[in-house]
Structure formats: C-alpha cells, structure tokens
Amino acid sequence: SLHRRRRSSANAAIAQQLDALVLVLAKHSFISMLLRKYICRRLLEYYSQPAHKVVGTPDASVDFSSLLGQWHWKRTYKQLYKQQKGMWLTPVELFAPYYSNVFANFVSSSMKPMLESKKHNSDGFQIVELGGGRGTNAKALLNHLQLHHNDVYDRLTEYTIFDTSPTLHELQRQNLKIDSDYADKINLVNVDMMEIAEGTSPFLTPSNIPTTLIALELLDNLPHDKIARCFETDEILQAELIPVDDVDCATSGASSEAIIDTSKQYHEEFSPASDPLLQNILSIDPSLSTRLASSGPRWIPSVA
C-alpha cells in the first residue's frame, strides 16, 4: 500500500512537470526564422494588398512635350504622386508608353539577328518578365512590337510573367488575357520568387528558344540574407530572428513554418550558416563572404 502511494505521488509529480513543460513550450513555440524568410513573409503581406496599393498608376498620361523644363517636371511629378492611390509609381507607369517602347526596340534589335542566325534552331522566341506590375509594360511593349516591328512580333511565341502578388496577377489577367489583343501570347504565373530560388517551385525548362528576360523594379524588392563572421572561429554566420520574449528559449534551426506575430518585437541573432540556398550562393561567389574592413554583417542577394 505504501509502495502504491509513493508510485502514485511520483506519477503526479511527473504529470505536473509535464504540464509545466507544455505551458513553457506553448509560450515559447516560436522557432528561430531565417531573416530572408521573415522579409519574404512581410513582402507577401504587402503584395497581397489591393493592386492599386501595391503599384499605383497616374490618373492621366503626361504630355511631356508641354513641359517647360526640369522645374516643370518636378512639379508635375509631385502632383502625380498626390493624385495616385498607390504607395509608389514605377517608371513604366510614369513614362508610359515611351519607357516600354524602348524595351520593345531592344527586343527587336536583339532577337532579330538571333532568329536569322543558323545557330538557333528555333522558329520563334519568348519574353519572360519577372514582376509584371499592372501589366502596363507587357501591353505597351507588345503594342509597339506589333505596330513597328511586326515581323518580330509574329515570331514571338510566348510572353510569360512571373509575379508574387495575387492581386497584381489578377489585374494582369484582366488587362492581358481578357481585355487584350495579345491574349494568345500571354502566360501568367503567380509564384513566390523565393520558392523559385529555393527550388521548391519550377521556373523555366531548359530549351534552345531565344529568350529576353525583363526584371523591372524587382531585384531591390527581393528577400535578402545577412551574414557575418565569428570573431573567434572566423566561421560564416547567418542572421535569424526570434521574438524578444523568446530569446532565451528559442531553438535554432531557422524554421520556415514559424508564424510571424506582427505585434511582437524581434531580436536578430547569428548562428552557423546552414541554409542550403545561402550556402550555394556563397560557394558560387566566395567574394560575397570575404571579410570586410569593418568586419560587420553583409547583405547577400540570395534570391536575386
């Protein structure tokens, strides 16, 4: 009987300890997140807004021939920003359609010799745009090609847009697939660029088709990694984030599944570089990890 009471008491103590452990784990459930993945998720929040808030557009096109000089342009520029509803305006939107016409001329001058050359066993070519915005560039570029370089336009087999934003993806569909003369040439892909970089989503299949790649206002809007070097071991370290409340209890591992609580403040810590994409980028370009004179952290364009 005494033995049973002792065993029962021991079991109760173990149960209490397990309950306490569960509470601690519930409170400190955040696993450290790689800085690149944190930036990616915050960008996804931005890109998921209504399309007009992601990329704005002027209410009317600018009559550049009427501008009297730089001062006149600066005043017009300020007025455009006050009138538009978005967070910012891209050069494609500000200088439509002339900005895109330049790209159309480039596509024609670069693709035409390739198509005429016997080195490329292809009857056509393709255009790939990363981050298509409102579809303004694609529409203006295709229009200029059709009007002024029709022989090149006819040999364009496909114009593919990869975009992270679901709202811009839908706007592109409306502008380029529904209300468009170029619908048969347009291919729209809604995908996260980080997933492409990490190899979890497909990009382009190898082919001999001549391709023009366009990336406007994109590279500076992609998630980056941050690295540093350990002063003692000279080991390369990767930046990770954990909530301030969980600094003492978080486990390392840079989980991609951790949930971001925007009400919390986050603490940046460095741990030995273990992320496959980051390691691959550093192996391709070792100069990215060379010691700086200041020995401070360095941003790495791992997705770009």
Side-chain angles (χ1 to χ4, degrees):
S1 177
L2 178 61
H3 178 70
R4 289 198 198 96
R5 285 198 298 270
R6 286 179 178 174
R7 186 171 61 184
S8 176
S9 177
N11 289 340
I14 293 174
Q16 289 179 350
Q17 291 175 357
L18 288 174
D19 289 341
L21 179 60
V22 169
L23 289 175
V24 170
L25 291 175
K27 182 179 180 181
H28 301 287
S29 59
F30 188 96
I31 301 175
S32 59
M33 173 179 283
L34 193 66
L35 179 59
R36 180 183 77 239
K37 296 182 182 294
Y38 175 84
I39 295 173
C40 178
R41 297 209 172 185
R42 297 311 299 265
L43 285 172
L44 286 175
E45 293 175 7
Y46 173 76
Y47 291 138
S48 296
Q49 298 179 100
H52 71 274
K53 289 188 176 182
V54 181
V55 178
T57 184
D59 292 335
S61 59
V62 179
D63 181 7
F64 292 99
S65 63
S66 67
L67 298 181
L68 303 178
Q70 187 181 39
W71 67 270
H72 196 181
W73 162 245
K74 287 184 176 180
R75 190 179 73 175
T76 303
Y77 179 75
K78 289 181 180 179
Q79 290 175 344
L80 289 174
Y81 254 90
K82 289 179 180 179
Q83 294 170 0
Q84 63 98 25
K85 299 177 181 178
M87 296 293 291
W88 56 306
L89 291 168
T90 65
V92 166
E93 301 294 337
L94 280 171
F95 303 108
Y98 311 107
Y99 193 79
S100 300
N101 292 351
V102 173
F103 288 108
N105 292 334
F106 168 77
V107 169
S108 177
S109 62
S110 60
M111 286 293 108
K112 198 167 185 178
M114 290 187 183
L115 294 172
E116 294 174 351
S117 172
K118 296 181 180 179
K119 294 181 180 179
H120 296 278
N121 186 21
S122 175
D123 294 330
F125 73 101
Q126 64 178 346
I127 298 174
V128 176
E129 185 173 0
L130 305 180
R134 304 175 63 86
T136 304
N137 180 63
K139 197 167 189 175
L141 189 156
L142 290 171
N143 182 64
H144 191 78
L145 271 183
Q146 188 179 43
L147 292 176
H148 302 281
H149 309 283
N150 191 257
D151 55 334
V152 177
Y153 173 84
D154 287 341
R155 299 185 70 175
L156 174 65
T157 58
E158 190 172 69
Y159 192 124
T160 301
I161 296 178
F162 290 87
D163 207 295
T164 299
S165 171
T167 53
L168 288 179
H169 175 74
E170 174 58 26
L171 184 60
Q172 293 159 12
R173 189 183 70 84
Q174 294 176 10
N175 291 338
L176 298 171
K177 296 290 285 184
I178 298 177
D179 184 23
S180 171
D181 297 329
Y182 323 109
D184 60 325
K185 295 183 181 291
I186 296 294
N187 177 33
L188 303 176
V189 182
N190 183 207
V191 66
D192 183 8
M193 296 300 168
M194 191 177 76
E195 293 179 358
I196 291 177
E198 293 178 343
T200 56
S201 291
F203 184 43
L204 299 175
T205 55
S207 73
N208 294 321
I209 302 175
T211 303
T212 296
L213 182 65
I214 300 174
L216 308 176
E217 310 298 319
L218 176 78
L219 298 182
D220 56 334
N221 289 309
L222 291 175
H224 284 52
D225 278 296
K226 186 192 286 187
I227 63 170
R229 281 189 180 270
C230 177
F231 288 108
E232 296 179 355
T233 65
D234 205 40
E235 183 180 16
I236 298 176
L237 308 174
Q238 64 187 27
E240 299 176 1
L241 292 182
I242 56 176
V244 172
D245 293 341
D246 296 349
V247 168
D248 296 329
C249 299
T251 59
S252 61
S255 169
S256 62
E257 303 301 326
I259 298 174
I260 295 175
D261 183 354
T262 55
S263 66
K264 287 188 175 184
Q265 292 185 334
Y266 291 85
H267 175 81
E268 182 181 83
E269 289 192 348
F270 287 87
S271 65
S274 59
D275 177 71
L277 175 61
L278 178 57
Q279 289 179 325
N280 185 42
I281 295 299
L282 295 179
S283 67
I284 293 173
D285 188 357
S287 66
L288 292 171
S289 59
T290 55
R291 182 185 291 278
L292 296 175
S294 63
S295 298
R298 171 179 291 177
W299 288 99
I300 304 297
S302 44
V303 176

